[in-house]
Amino acid sequence: MTQAAAPLCLLTRPRDDAERFAVKVRQRFGVKSIVSPLLKIVPIRPALNLADFDVVILTSVQAARQLSDLEIPKTVTCFAVGRSTADTARGLGFQAHDAQGDVEALFELVRSVSPKGNLIHLRGEHSRGRLAERLTEAGLPCEETVVYQQIAQALSTTAIEALAGDTIVVLPLFSPRTARILAGTSVSFRSTYGVAMSAAVADELTSLSIMDMRIATAPNQAAMLEAMGELEPIRSLLERRSMQS
């Protein structure tokens, strides 16, 4: 009997994030990854004087990575959407509160703490949740500024060939925009199993013939890995390895 080939993982996040997650996938499941970013992050220097703000709100790791380059004083307080974003800010020497969730959780955290001073939301060109607007409506005046672009990229030839081939592909998707770009491609998904970080991500993929789609129980990498482990190809792979050990 021929042993089934191990699945591949296709990662379409911006390259740095995809490569970090690929390490976690290999360590957790022993599965190789193809990295084919669908978004390229390009920093933007805002016109605003960011030294005028006391509180910085971060909804992405990409924004947090730019804190030092934007010459933001270390005295500001950061409010971050999740652990990775908070850890990135802390690693650069900033105090950061972790909302441990999504944009809604971040909104509730900032509103409950009600920080004093001038607030600003640093975000990408494409953003969801109307965060600055909603905080302002809630009595916490908040400005916003774009600090990076997310430029759409095409799938690599290696990724297209993997999706069109016989090998099972596990496809973790972390953002609605990445899912929307992928849904607009003309490639085959006949042997693809998906994992979405949220229902909003999964909703963008309803037109695709994906064999199974799991939604992570929380918007973080740990929950994404848990959801990947529930997919039949990954479960079968781990069971085979357990029987052989």
Side-chain angles (χ1 to χ4, degrees), residues 52-140:
D52 293 338
F53 294 91
D54 309 289
V55 177
V56 171
I57 300 170
L58 303 165
T59 45
S60 70
V61 170
Q62 286 81 13
R65 286 176 182 152
Q66 294 188 57
L67 289 170
S68 293
D69 290 342
L70 293 172
E71 299 176 1
I72 295 175
K74 294 291 197 301
T75 53
V76 306
T77 299
C78 297
F79 286 81
V81 67
R83 178 178 176 181
S84 295
T85 304
D87 285 348
T88 299
R90 290 166 184 155
L92 293 171
F94 292 85
Q95 178 186 356
H97 299 281
D98 179 1
Q100 301 181 14
D102 53 14
V103 173
E104 190 63 32
L106 180 57
F107 168 75
E108 294 295 343
L109 174 62
V110 177
R111 189 172 66 168
S112 66
V113 174
S114 191
K116 305 301 181 183
N118 298 321
L119 281 66
I120 189 165
H121 174 204
L122 305 185
R123 66 175 182 84
E125 185 177 27
H126 299 271
S127 183
R128 297 166 61 92
R130 299 173 44 249
L131 186 56
E133 182 181 346
R134 291 177 63 203
L135 286 169
T136 299
E137 292 170 351
L140 291 169

Side-chain angles (χ1 to χ4, degrees), residues 14-15 37-42 148-153 177:
R15 184 165 298 278
L38 289 176
L39 294 175
K40 180 181 179 181
I41 304 301
V42 179
Y148 63 92
Q149 291 177 297
Q150 304 123 301
I151 300 175
Q153 307 288 295
R177 183 157 184 251

